Amino acid sequence: MIYYDLKTESKRKTIGNVIARDTELRRIARTLKRQYNNNCLITGASGTGKTALLEGFAYQVSKGLITGFEKTILAKLDSNNLKKYLNAANTSETESFLNGAFKSLPKDTVIFIDDFDSILPENKTLELNQIFEAFTERNDLRLCISLNEGKYQKILQTNTAFFQNFEEISLKENDSKETLLILQALSPAFEKEYQIKIQKDALSAVVGLSKKVVSEKKSPLHAIHMLDEALAFAKISGNSKELSKEHVSEVFAEKTGIPSASLNTEDSKLLKTLEAELTKGIIGQENAVKTVADIVRRGRMGLRNPNRPTGSFLFLGPSGVGKTETCKVLAKTVYGSERSFTRIDMSEFGEQHTVQRLIGAPPGYIGFETGGQLTNAISEQPYSLILLDEIEKAHPKIFDIFLQVFDDGRLTDGQGKTVNFTNSIVIATSNLGIEEIVQAFKKNIDVSSPAFMEKTLMPILMKHFRTEFLNRFDAIVVFNPLNIEKLVEIAQLEIKKIEERVKEHHIRFNIDPKVLKEKIQSINDLRFGARPVKRFVEQTCESLIAMKLLE
């Protein structure tokens, strides 16, 4: 069979109506009735409903909801045959098939080709104007095709003349209200299939949570798939008779790695205690912790710009004072797991050609299939923290990438896929200004004060970074060098960690605080923070434990 009659398919109920696309349907009808450029090109991201729009148009024509096409043939060409002949090695064979296909169509026919990009060969360039010559020669035929927006730009480069015959209708992702209407319309069929009643708040939960989770497929398809999976989960979870929002939350938690309790309570309990939780693991950095907690709290509550990351920070300060540790504790506290933490060593991106490694190589280049180090991390875990360690060592071209992330909360990778950063926290660390911070600390100057930042640190930062880049951070946070008292606290905390690791052997340490303080004073160096102290504790305590266990 060369084509399917969509009006007939509609009467057989194999295709249905489309919801929340009235404007687009009217534009298709107007375009197809025009004398010139009366062909439609439907573009949009995967999942936005391009197929549903084409079929919905045929449905509404067959039901008399769209008039003026009563005598028009709505023909959907068989994709399998199209793909077979368009991929044929002999171009004349392709043209012969299409000539026959178009000549066999009656007058006043609209030809639908869905997923046009999927039928085109990947390994050769086609002259679409030449191949579809039979179509263009017949002015009583109109073509209505759908194309993934990323593929459209690629095909357009070599077939500009062909697409000049089309009116483009771009499909945007459905908003929450429209997606809810679509799910409500589909619910009866789902309920019949699963024999499960869908609660109203479960549908609202699907819509709300699907918007939080980034997927290659956009709404409404992304939400429909999530509803389907939630129903399957409910079905195998004790044969539930109703789908609740708790079922939905649990499915989303497993897909995103975020505890379901956090999703259900909207993080309110977590956010109230965020500062206290961070302080437990970070010693001597009260100002830094307060700044970070305040901004993240506002971001998670939706009080800040929704098109920016939850928080973006530049951490300054000597080595070993808690910058990386803050990132780890923050990821675990906010996102529920230390796995929601990705560290990228920016010293590996010092050359201009390494920029693509962050977002992935474009089509046709080596490494295209692997994607980018940065974009992959967020695609796989959109709710996560990204640490850009020693960012001053990266090539300046890389800063342009993060300007886009901080401004729009989105980034397009080398494969043309849009990656959403709005649920992530981005933290960059830098060693710039260490000597100035250490010297000021020795003079009892408050290194976290606005005055010290403006007069001392900003001139140093502006020598390495553009002003617009620095201004995109929510905050530039200075970590204090650690005094002896704080280092003793850290040493005692490390000792407790070692005791916890060997608790099965009932080993405890009894260390005189004075002796511990004297030892720390002898090895203290403000430039290296707590690292020498941690190393001393590990070497001493672990050696004693090893000898004790051997005895």
Side-chain angles (χ1 to χ4, degrees):
M1 181 182 290
I2 297 175
Y3 68 88
Y4 303 92
D5 186 338
L6 288 180
K7 286 184 180 179
T8 303
E9 296 299 316
S10 175
K11 291 174 182 176
R12 291 175 181 170
K13 298 183 178 180
T14 57
I15 62 173
N17 199 7
V18 64
I19 297 171
R21 292 297 188 190
D22 293 344
T23 301
E24 290 84 356
L25 289 170
R26 287 195 298 270
R27 286 194 63 194
I28 291 176
R30 291 200 304 268
T31 300
L32 294 177
K33 281 297 180 184
R34 282 161 38 172
Q35 290 296 312
Y36 305 100
N37 279 41
N38 53 6
N39 307 294
C40 288
L41 169 64
I42 314 298
T43 62
S46 178
T48 51
K50 298 185 293 296
T51 302
L53 182 65
L54 295 178
E55 294 181 350
F57 177 79
Y59 176 90
Q60 294 203 10
V61 167
S62 67
K63 298 298 181 184
L65 300 174
I66 295 177
T67 59
F69 295 89
E70 289 78 13
K71 296 181 179 180
T72 304
I73 303 295
L74 303 181
K76 183 176 181 181
L77 288 186
D78 183 355
S79 294
N80 291 328
N81 269 330
L82 270 177
K83 188 169 185 177
K84 173 185 174 182
Y85 284 98
L86 287 175
N87 281 270
N90 190 340
T91 306
S92 61
E93 187 179 350
T94 301
E95 293 174 10
S96 175
F97 166 75
L98 288 174
N99 281 331
F102 288 126
K103 285 178 180 178
S104 66
L105 291 170
K107 291 182 179 181
D108 192 17
T109 296
V110 177
I111 304 160
F112 292 85
I113 305 178
D114 195 19
D115 289 328
F116 189 71
D117 52 297
S118 68
I119 66 174
L120 300 179
E122 295 183 2
N123 56 352
K124 67 176 182 177
T125 302
L126 294 179
E127 290 291 339
L128 296 180
N129 249 352
Q130 181 180 346
I131 289 175
F132 286 88
E133 185 178 5
F135 153 73
T136 55
E137 286 179 350
R138 284 189 60 176
N139 54 17
D140 60 334
L141 296 181
R142 283 144 293 166
L143 196 58
C144 197
I145 66 176
S146 70
L147 254 173
N148 184 287
E149 59 184 2
K151 297 290 182 66
Y152 168 52
Q153 295 300 327
K154 182 180 177 182
I155 301 169
L156 180 63
Q157 294 175 6
T158 53
N159 290 280
T160 306
F162 176 72
F163 287 112
Q164 286 176 351
N165 299 311
F166 290 82
E167 174 74 13
E168 182 184 357
I169 299 173
S170 178
L171 286 194
K172 304 301 181 185
E173 187 174 16
N174 287 105
D175 61 26
S176 296
K177 185 178 179 181
E178 293 167 341
T179 304
L180 182 59
L181 288 173
I182 293 168
L183 294 187
Q184 288 171 343
L186 294 174
S187 288
F190 273 121
E191 289 177 335
K192 183 179 179 181
E193 176 69 25
Y194 282 99
Q195 294 296 300
I196 291 177
K197 180 70 176 175
I198 302 174
Q199 296 178 2
K200 289 184 178 179
D201 59 357
L203 285 184
S204 298
V206 169
V207 174
L209 295 176
S210 66
K211 291 294 182 182
K212 287 187 174 183
V213 179
V214 179
S215 170
E216 291 184 15
K217 296 190 182 299
K218 304 299 181 182
S219 287
L221 189 59
H222 181 41
I224 294 169
H225 284 177
M226 286 294 183
L227 175 60
D228 194 8
E229 186 172 350
L231 284 163
F233 174 76
K235 188 73 173 179
I236 64 175
S237 300
N239 291 320
S240 301
K241 298 299 181 184
E242 286 192 327
L243 177 71
S244 67
K245 65 178 182 180
E246 285 73 23
H247 289 128
V248 176
S249 292
E250 198 156 344
V251 169
F252 274 70
E254 289 183 2
K255 294 179 79 71
T256 62
I258 308 168
S260 57
S262 297
L263 292 170
N264 287 330
T265 61
E266 295 183 353
D267 306 324
S268 56
K269 183 179 178 181
L270 167 69
L271 294 174
K272 286 179 183 178
T273 60
L274 179 57
E275 202 167 325
E277 290 297 319
L278 292 175
T279 305
K280 288 179 185 178
I282 310 299
I283 305 296
Q285 304 295 348
E286 289 77 14
N287 288 334
V289 166
K290 184 178 185 305
T291 300
V292 171
D294 181 53
I295 291 173
V296 170
R297 186 183 294 116
R298 285 186 278 129
R300 292 285 279 172
M301 290 178 70
L303 300 177
R304 301 176 62 250
N305 187 335
N307 296 322
R308 299 190 65 191
T310 300
S312 57
F313 306 92
L314 175 61
F315 284 179
L316 305 176
S319 175
V321 294
K323 300 190 296 294
T324 301
E325 190 65 24
T326 298
C327 296
K328 291 179 180 178
V329 176
L330 187 62
K332 185 176 182 180
T333 306
V334 174
Y335 298 121
S337 170
E338 287 186 357
R339 292 178 300 173
S340 301
F341 169 80
T342 301
R343 176 185 175 272
I344 300 177
D345 186 351
M346 301 306 290
S347 64
E348 297 177 2
F349 298 88
E351 302 296 329
Q352 184 171 348
H353 69 271
T354 60
V355 174
Q356 289 298 140
R357 284 172 45 200
L358 282 177
I359 61 174
Y365 287 81
I366 296 174
F368 165 70
E369 302 83 3
T370 60
Q373 195 171 341
L374 173 66
T375 50
N376 282 354
I378 295 298
S379 293
E380 293 165 7
Q381 279 198 305
Y383 284 78
S384 63
L385 186 149
I386 298 290
L387 169 60
L388 311 170
D389 209 8
E390 296 187 308
I391 194 168
E392 78 277 3
K393 295 181 180 179
H395 190 276
K397 196 74 176 175
I398 282 180
F399 304 147
D400 293 335
I401 291 175
F402 292 103
L403 283 176
Q404 186 179 343
V405 170
F406 297 156
D407 269 345
D408 305 325
R410 295 175 184 271
L411 193 61
T412 302
D413 67 9
Q415 298 173 333
K417 181 177 65 178
T418 300
V419 181
N420 191 326
F421 283 77
T422 58
N423 297 307
S424 65
I425 297 171
V426 183
I427 297 178
T429 67
S430 174
N431 291 323
L432 296 175
I434 286 180
E435 289 299 327
E436 288 76 8
I437 292 171
V438 169
Q439 294 304 318
F441 183 77
K442 288 178 179 178
K443 299 175 183 178
N444 293 321
I445 296 174
D446 182 4
V447 296
S448 61
S449 68
F452 182 74
M453 172 62 68
E454 183 180 349
K455 293 181 180 179
T456 306
L457 294 181
M458 282 305 292
I460 297 172
L461 294 175
M462 290 178 70
K463 288 180 181 179
H464 291 81
F465 305 116
R466 300 201 304 271
T467 305
E468 61 266 30
F469 176 69
L470 293 172
N471 285 340
R472 293 310 194 280
F473 287 105
D474 293 321
I476 299 176
V477 183
V478 181
F479 281 67
N480 300 311
L482 298 169
N483 59 32
I484 296 299
E485 286 70 25
K486 298 301 180 183
L487 289 173
V488 170
E489 282 186 52
I490 291 172
Q492 292 170 334
L493 185 64
E494 291 300 310
I495 291 168
K496 288 181 181 179
K497 289 180 182 178
I498 293 174
E499 289 178 340
E500 184 64 24
R501 291 205 299 266
V502 295
K503 63 180 179 181
E504 60 182 293
H505 300 292
H506 309 290
I507 293 175
R508 291 289 182 270
F509 290 96
N510 184 16
I511 302 175
D512 187 336
K514 291 183 179 179
V515 175
L516 183 61
K517 184 176 181 179
E518 288 174 1
K519 180 60 182 176
I520 289 174
Q521 282 178 324
S522 68
I523 62 174
N524 181 35
D525 188 328
L526 291 177
R527 295 172 300 169
F528 302 120
R531 286 208 170 92
V533 174
K534 289 182 178 181
R535 194 157 47 245
F536 160 71
V537 169
E538 288 174 356
Q539 291 173 349
T540 305
C541 294
E542 289 174 4
S543 296
L544 289 171
I545 291 170
M547 293 304 297
K548 186 68 176 176
L549 293 178
L550 287 172
E551 290 173 3

